[in-house]
Amino acid sequence: MPPLLRGSYRRVVLALARRAVLGAGPRWSAGGSGCARDSPFGAEELRGEPDRFGGVSVRLGRLDALDRLDPVAFQRALQAAVQKWRSEGRVAVWLHIPILQSRFIAPAASLGFCFHHAESDSSMLSLWLGDGPSRLPGYATHQVGVAGAVFDENTRKILVVQDRNKLKNMWKFPGGLSEPGEDIGDTAVREVFEETGIKSEFRSLLSIRQQHTHPGAFGKSDMYIICRLKPYSFTINLCQHECLKCEWMNLSDLVKTKNTTPITSRVARLLLYGYKEGFDKIDLTMEELPAVYTGLFYKLYHKKLPDNYKSMTGMD
Ligand SMILES: [Mg+2]
């Protein structure tokens, strides 16, 4: 339990114990004053944790006694707490509401709180208290899809599929949606294996397509990334749920076919160019580096720097 909430927990528990001893009627009635208890639920129960940007966060799930609090009493307490935070110069309030406590969303909204985001079991509301328009960053706005262009240099064949649930059946690279926290290359390798049974390893990133208001991304922006993968198994085991067809196709046939998407066609040409002239001409390779946040790492994708440029500092 966070130290800031310890006091409020104690107060709420004591109030409940006192009520039980007195045998009071409905504790905090849904109508009327909304606080038919001897010790009204006040702003002090809603003390939150300050953040480094000058905001304050309140997690309702940490206040067990809220199970018995009605929305009217909550609204009154929240209004008083907001006034206090405003007078203290707080710039924002974050209100985390577990799904089972959703009856507190409407009272918060009536005080100006808006949805910031929702997860499967909770919602996060926010209220900007600072000067001018809100400077709070928005939540996730993107869906990331990743496909694997699995090219076998020995046979010059490329792995292609036709999706099952598409209006038009076109050849494309196997792929799918990235899981939260999953690396791009790992998504490509996983999706290729799930859809075709082919095992492969990540080589490079070849292209990024950005599309806004994408119908397949719930109207959000969609980033579709194609990676170059090297196969190390060759027997196809098609996923019947997602794919209609899968085959190893000659790369030159994929370049020529009309029965494909514009993105697949362009990447096929790019691969042909890389195969003939060297993959360093088309590859964005990956480098893993330590982030400023202790213990974390990030992946940087860029064209490989020639060795003689690695130590060069100027124009000469
Ligand atoms: Mg897929």
Side-chain angles (χ1 to χ4, degrees), residues 3 34 36 58 70 93 100 140 151 168 195 285 301:
V58 180
D70 79 73
V93 186
L100 286 176
F151 181 57
K168 242 174 139 185
E195 295 186 358
T285 52
Y301 301 84

Side-chain angles (χ1 to χ4, degrees), residues 33-283:
S33 72
C35 50
R37 62 174 184 160
D38 44 4
S39 153
F41 187 90
E44 68 279 7
E45 324 288 353
L46 286 171
R47 262 191 293 163
E49 294 177 41
D51 64 39
R52 67 192 174 101
F53 301 100
V56 61
S57 290
V58 180
R59 297 183 76 88
L60 295 193
R62 292 189 180 165
L63 302 176
D64 285 345
L66 281 195
D67 282 345
R68 290 172 291 273
L69 177 67
D70 79 73
V72 177
F74 172 76
Q75 184 177 346
R76 191 172 302 140
L78 186 59
Q79 191 166 21
V82 167
Q83 254 170 29
K84 185 166 100 25
W85 291 322
R86 205 186 283 280
S87 69
E88 288 169 359
R90 295 272 165 214
V91 296
V93 186
W94 297 91
L95 195 56
H96 181 269
I97 304 185
I99 193 164
L100 286 176
Q101 309 280 11
S102 294
R103 65 189 184 285
F104 297 125
I105 291 175
S110 73
L111 298 176
F113 280 81
C114 295
F115 281 122
H116 184 264
H117 63 268
E119 285 169 307
S120 57
D121 59 356
S122 64
S123 55
M124 179 75 92
L125 275 62
S126 64
L127 177 67
W128 177 248
L129 300 179
D131 294 334
S134 170
R135 291 194 301 276
L136 296 176
Y139 197 53
T141 56
H142 285 76
Q143 172 173 282
V144 177
V146 187
V150 190
F151 181 57
D152 179 10
E153 289 173 58
N154 297 321
T155 59
R156 286 176 268 175
K157 285 183 188 265
I158 181 114
L159 187 67
V160 284
V161 295
Q162 290 190 6
D163 272 352
R164 181 165 289 281
N165 299 315
K166 289 284 170 334
L167 299 172
K168 242 174 139 185
N169 287 319
M170 308 255 237
W171 291 113
K172 49 158 273 201
F173 303 121
L177 298 175
S178 201
E179 303 286 346
E182 186 176 46
D183 284 339
I184 292 166
D186 292 343
T187 306
V189 167
R190 175 181 58 74
E191 283 286 341
V192 165
F193 181 70
E194 284 174 7
E195 295 186 358
T196 69
I198 298 299
K199 293 180 184 162
S200 62
E201 56 190 31
F202 175 79
R203 277 286 178 272
S204 70
L205 199 149
L206 296 173
S207 70
I208 302 173
R209 188 280 314 268
Q210 183 184 36
Q211 185 178 337
H212 301 298
T213 53
H214 192 286
F218 304 100
K220 295 289 181 191
S221 303
D222 182 279
M223 302 285 283
Y224 176 58
I225 299 169
I226 300 180
C227 300
R228 184 169 73 85
L229 305 183
K230 183 183 168 148
Y232 63 86
S233 85
F234 301 90
T235 309
I236 291 170
N237 183 10
L238 182 71
C239 169
Q240 304 288 345
H241 289 297
E242 297 201 28
C243 303
L244 209 55
K245 289 186 195 167
C246 175
E247 64 179 61
W248 287 104
M249 186 183 279
N250 283 322
L251 180 59
S252 5
D253 290 342
L254 185 60
V255 165
K256 278 182 242 151
T257 186
K258 295 256 177 293
N259 189 22
T260 189
T261 69
I263 303 173
T264 309
S265 189
R266 278 164 175 75
V267 170
R269 282 170 202 282
L270 201 61
L271 278 167
L272 193 62
Y273 170 56
Y275 176 72
K276 289 191 166 177
E277 309 292 332
F279 286 115
D280 58 319
K281 296 272 195 301
I282 63 167
D283 281 345

